[in-house]
Amino acid sequence: MAKSWYIVNTYTGYENKVEQTLKLKVESGEISPDVLTSIKVPIEEVIEFVKVKNRKTGVEEEKKRTKKNKILPGYILLELDLPEIGWKDACSAIRRIRGVTGFVGTDPNVRPRPLSTSEARKLLQLAGELPGEKNVKIKQIYVVGDQVRINEGPFANFNGTVEEILAEKNKLRVLVQIFGRATSVEIEVGQVEKLVK
């Protein structure tokens, strides 16, 4: 027996209910904790910037809002250590849960196929489940030349101009004035807000 990650298909919106039911089945002993070792509903953090009118001043302001979205709606990841004998019972107990439609890529009478190590690692990285990894998606589009205010980090409260967009890193290169000199700094997109013109 060796631990591997499997994808289970669920009705969309049932992912968290299935996760809770699986945890209860492990606690009650219906599914062995040696067989079902981990359950993940992969989510990503999304930072949205929305314009809100200030009630007192009437001026439009930009507010940062954080949401959590499911990366794979309708799917959950299970780390299973399926025994050679008795794997059907373990898989059947999972399939019988309300909201579960089955293991991805296999028929009910066939032993489920696990994800490859690289596929599992990629999904877990996307969900920020690996140590030191955190996936944050920014929903605001910046363009070169935008005026921004830095809200966090060593350059907090500095204003600057977007010089370059580093989309693959979720960062911006911002030109700020430090001690009277224009200095280019790399900032996480979530650490800045666009200044209203």
Side-chain angles (χ1 to χ4, degrees):
M1 295 193 303
K3 290 183 186 179
S4 297
W5 285 96
Y6 297 82
I7 298 180
V8 173
N9 194 340
T10 68
Y11 298 141
T12 303
Y14 274 69
E15 302 90 354
N16 293 336
K17 291 176 189 171
V18 170
E19 178 185 23
Q20 292 305 316
T21 304
L22 283 167
K23 287 179 179 176
L24 289 172
K25 286 186 179 281
V26 169
E27 286 173 15
S28 71
E30 194 174 331
I31 298 175
S32 169
D34 296 334
V35 173
L36 177 57
T37 56
S38 187
I39 307 162
K40 302 285 183 200
V41 177
I43 58 169
E44 66 184 350
E45 197 173 293
V46 178
I47 298 174
E48 290 183 319
F49 292 89
V50 292
K51 293 195 185 287
V52 178
K53 202 170 230 181
N54 187 316
R55 291 182 185 180
K56 292 179 183 176
T57 63
V59 176
E60 254 190 17
E61 297 175 349
E62 202 166 72
K63 296 283 183 184
K64 183 165 77 169
R65 190 170 49 185
T66 304
K67 291 180 7 181
K68 294 189 184 283
N69 289 344
K70 290 181 178 75
I71 294 173
L72 300 169
Y75 298 95
I76 61 173
L77 295 172
L78 300 180
E79 186 179 39
L80 299 171
D81 193 357
L82 290 177
E84 289 301 318
I85 299 171
W87 66 264
K88 276 189 179 183
D89 294 335
C91 292
S92 181
I94 293 168
R95 282 189 193 100
R96 284 194 309 261
I97 294 172
R98 182 178 175 187
V100 172
T101 59
F103 285 85
V104 170
T106 55
D107 293 326
N109 296 327
V110 179
R111 186 180 174 99
R113 284 191 350 239
L115 291 170
S116 69
T117 306
S118 63
E119 289 171 325
R121 183 167 180 72
K122 191 176 184 180
L123 284 171
L124 293 169
Q125 272 179 327
L126 275 174
E129 296 289 345
L130 297 177
E133 304 280 341
K134 189 173 182 187
N135 185 38
V136 179
K137 192 187 253 182
I138 308 297
K139 253 195 151 169
Q140 178 169 344
I141 308 294
Y142 289 96
V143 294
V144 173
D146 279 348
Q147 296 295 310
V148 295
R149 178 173 194 75
I150 302 169
N151 294 323
E152 299 173 23
F155 301 102
N157 300 321
F158 278 86
N159 291 347
T161 306
V162 176
E163 187 177 47
E164 184 181 354
I165 298 157
L166 308 166
E168 66 282 347
K169 292 182 179 179
N170 259 347
K171 291 187 176 188
L172 300 172
R173 192 174 312 274
V174 179
L175 199 59
V176 294
Q177 292 288 326
I178 301 174
F179 302 119
R181 284 189 162 170
T183 306
S184 184
V185 294
E186 218 172 87
I187 305 289
E188 298 273 337
V189 177
Q191 295 180 327
V192 300
E193 67 179 274
K194 197 183 291 188
L195 292 174
V196 180
K197 293 178 183 178

